[in-house]
Amino acid sequence: MEGQNPILNSIKRGLKRPLWASLLFLFTVILLSGLQINKEYSIFSIPLGFMSGRVGFISGSQRSCADFFKQVPARKVVKSITDFGGIGDGKTSNTDAFQRAMEFMARFTDTGGSQLVVPKGRWLTGSFNLTSNFTLFLQHDAVILGSQDPKEWPIINALPSYGRGRERPGGRHISLIHGNGLTNVVITGENGTIDGQGKMWWELWWNRTLVHTRGHLVELINSQNILIQNLTFLNSPFWTIHPIYCRNIVIRNMTILSPLDTPNTDGIDPDSSLNVCIEDCYIESGDDLIAVKSGWDQYGMKMARPSTNIIVRRVKGTTPTCSGVGIGSEMSGGVSNVIIEDLYVKDSAAGVRIKTDIGRGGYIANITINNMRMERVKVPIRFSRGANDHPDERWDPKALPKVRGIHISNVVSLDSKRPPLLEGIEEAPFEEIHMKNISLFGLDPSMTWNCKFISGSSCSVFPTPCSQLLKNESNFQCPN
C-alpha cells in the first residue's frame, strides 16, 4: 500500500531531511491538495484570507432547479422548415414558411404534439407564433435571422401590467418568437442561433425616431411548462427573453450576447411569473444580465401579479452600464422569494442592484444572494431609486414600495471601484438588510459605504460597512 501512495512516500523521504524542511514540505502538500485550481480562479491571484469562503464556482455544487419543467413525451409529428418551403440562404424571407409551419403544427396540439426542425442554414424571418405541445429545434449551424422589415414585427397591444409600451406610448412591436396561452413548449437544439439583427432597432432608439416599443427576441405570455436551453441568442432589439404572467419556466445552458453599448438589451427578464429557473447561462448585454420585474406603477399594482419563486444559479457575464442581477425597477406587482447564487460578474457597473421608486408601490421581500464573485465592478452592491419614470400622469405619488428581507452572503469583489451604495426611500426605508462574509478589495481607504434610509445587520464584512448595518441581530449571526 505504501508504494502506491506517492504523497505519503514523499513525506517519509522528507523525514530524513532537516526538521524545518520536512515541515515546510508537509505544509505545502496539504495546502495544495486542499485547493481547486482552474484557469478562471487561481489561488495565487487572491489574498489567502479568501480561502475560508465560497468564491466563484469552486464549491463543486451542481444543484439544479430544472425540475420546475415537467418533461414532455416525444413529439408524434416531426417536420423540417424545408417541408413548408423554407430556404436557408440568409436572403429569402421565410416568414410565410414559418407561419405555415406553425399553422400545421397547431393541428397536433391535442394528439401527441409536434416538432419543427430548423436545419443548417440561415433562415431569415419575421415574427411567428408558437403553439402548445411543441418543440422548436435548431440543428447545429442553424441560424434564425430577424427580419429587417419593421412591418414583419407587427404592432400588438400593450401589456396590462404596463399600460403602454415600455419605451413609447400605445402598442408595441411583437417579439420575433412569440406565444400566448401556451403549455409544454420547448425551444432548444444543438447550440443553434437565433439572431434578432437588432442594429436597425437600436439606431431608431439612438436617433429618437422609434415610434413603438421594440420587440423582444422571445416573449411568452400566460404560458406554463416552458423549457429554453442549449442555444445562442444574439442581438435582440430589446429585452432578449421575456416570460410574463407565466409559471414553471426553465432557461438553462444559454449564451446570450448583444454589443455592450446597445440600449435595453437585457438578457432574461422574468416578469410577473411564478417558478422560474435560470441556470448555467453566459450573458453579455448593454443592460442588466437578468432583471426580475412585475409591472409598472398603477398598472402593475392593479394587476397584482407578483414574481415569486425565482432561482438564478451559476450565471456569468458582463454589462458595462448595468447590473449582473437587477430587481426592478418595474416591480409594482411585488417580487418575493428570489434566490441568486454562484454569480460571476466582471467589468460591469454593478453586481446586484435593487431599484425602485416612489409611485411603484408593490414590495420586494425575501431575497437571498449567496456566493457571488466580481472583478472590476464599479459598485458591487447597489440599492437605489429609479429614473423617476412613470407610464403616464396617473401614477400615485403616495404609492410607496416596501423592501424587506435582503440577505447577501459570501461575496468577493476584486478591483472594486466604489463602495456599496445603499439608498432606500425616506418615506419607506428598506428594512432587514443583512450582510455576511463580504470582502471588497481595491477600494481607496478613504472610501466609505454610502447608506441612507436602510436598517439591518452585518458580520465579517470588509471594509467596515455603514453604521446602519453594524447591528448584529440574533437571527443572522456569523458562525463561530
Side-chain angles (χ1 to χ4, degrees), residues 51 57 142 146 149 169 188 202 237 247-248 340 374 450 463 468:
M51 296 307 175
F57 299 142
D149 182 357
T188 188
W202 309 329
R247 62 188 300 154
N248 291 86
I340 301 163
M374 293 170 278
N450 188 345
Q468 294 93 325

Side-chain angles (χ1 to χ4, degrees), residues 342-376:
D342 295 334
L343 180 69
Y344 172 70
V345 182
K346 66 176 182 178
D347 300 308
S348 299
V352 294
R353 185 178 184 186
I354 293 176
K355 182 169 60 171
T356 183
D357 216 330
I358 293 173
R360 291 290 191 261
Y363 56 87
I364 297 174
N366 195 21
I367 311 299
T368 300
I369 301 166
N370 180 49
N371 194 28
M372 179 170 60
R373 177 189 167 196
M374 293 170 278
E375 296 184 30
R376 299 176 299 279

Side-chain angles (χ1 to χ4, degrees), residues 1 37 52 60 71 94 147 190 195 229 243 276 324 354 414 456 477:
M1 181 68 67
I37 304 173
S52 61
Q71 293 296 322
N94 292 282
S147 170
E190 301 166 333
D195 184 346
Q229 70 172 3
V276 179
I354 293 176
L414 303 177
Q477 291 293 323

Side-chain angles (χ1 to χ4, degrees), residues 96-262:
D96 290 343
F98 275 102
Q99 292 177 351
R100 284 194 300 270
M102 296 315 305
E103 289 173 3
F104 178 82
M105 297 299 183
R107 302 177 189 175
F108 306 98
T109 296
D110 299 323
T111 56
S114 59
Q115 175 170 305
L116 180 64
V117 177
V118 181
K120 178 180 178 180
R122 296 173 64 81
W123 308 88
L124 182 68
T125 182
S127 174
F128 60 94
N129 289 284
L130 305 182
T131 189
S132 291
N133 295 315
F134 171 76
T135 297
L136 178 64
F137 189 93
L138 278 68
Q139 292 183 342
H140 182 67
D141 287 334
V143 182
I144 293 177
L145 297 170
S147 170
Q148 296 291 280
D149 182 357
K151 294 179 181 179
E152 292 205 291
W153 303 64
I155 305 300
I156 59 174
N157 291 333
L159 292 162
S161 57
Y162 283 76
R164 48 160 280 184
R166 186 58 183 86
E167 299 178 295
R168 293 288 183 265
R172 62 207 181 95
H173 287 279
I174 196 171
S175 59
L176 181 64
I177 297 176
H178 196 73
N180 195 338
L182 305 183
T183 302
N184 301 334
V185 170
V186 178
I187 303 174
T188 188
E190 301 166 333
N191 197 31
T193 298
I194 301 177
D195 184 346
Q197 299 199 105
K199 184 177 180 181
M200 170 190 71
W201 299 99
W202 309 329
E203 289 179 345
L204 291 173
W205 171 259
W206 287 323
N207 297 334
R208 300 184 178 181
T209 55
L210 186 66
V211 178
H212 298 283
T213 297
R214 294 168 282 162
H216 308 287
L217 197 65
V218 174
E219 182 178 67
L220 300 172
I221 307 172
N222 292 312
S223 298
Q224 61 181 335
N225 208 46
I226 308 296
L227 174 63
I228 303 174
Q229 70 172 3
N230 300 337
L231 295 171
T232 296
F233 285 1
L234 304 177
N235 304 317
S236 177
F238 193 47
W239 306 342
T240 305
I241 304 177
H242 186 222
I244 183 164
Y245 321 138
C246 291
R247 62 188 300 154
N248 291 86
I249 308 293
V250 173
I251 303 168
R252 62 196 304 261
N253 296 330
M254 293 293 295
T255 300
I256 300 173
L257 306 174
S258 292
L260 299 180
D261 62 346
T262 51

Side-chain angles (χ1 to χ4, degrees), residues 270-344:
D271 198 338
S272 293
S273 291
L274 169 68
N275 297 339
V276 179
C277 172
I278 302 168
E279 62 183 21
D280 300 304
C281 294
Y282 180 81
I283 305 172
E284 292 183 1
S285 168
D287 210 291
D288 294 329
L289 306 184
I290 294 170
V292 183
K293 302 176 179 292
S294 66
W296 196 9
D297 286 9
Q298 70 271 25
Y299 299 104
M301 287 184 279
K302 181 179 179 180
M303 193 163 187
R305 290 283 296 270
S307 279
T308 189
N309 294 351
I310 313 293
I311 298 178
V312 178
R313 180 178 286 137
R314 296 187 300 274
V315 170
K316 304 181 181 182
T318 183
T319 168
T321 58
C322 292
S323 56
V325 175
I327 298 178
S329 66
E330 310 92 333
M331 40 60 66
S332 303
V335 175
S336 66
N337 298 339
V338 177
I339 296 175
I340 301 163
E341 60 184 12
D342 295 334
L343 180 69
Y344 172 70

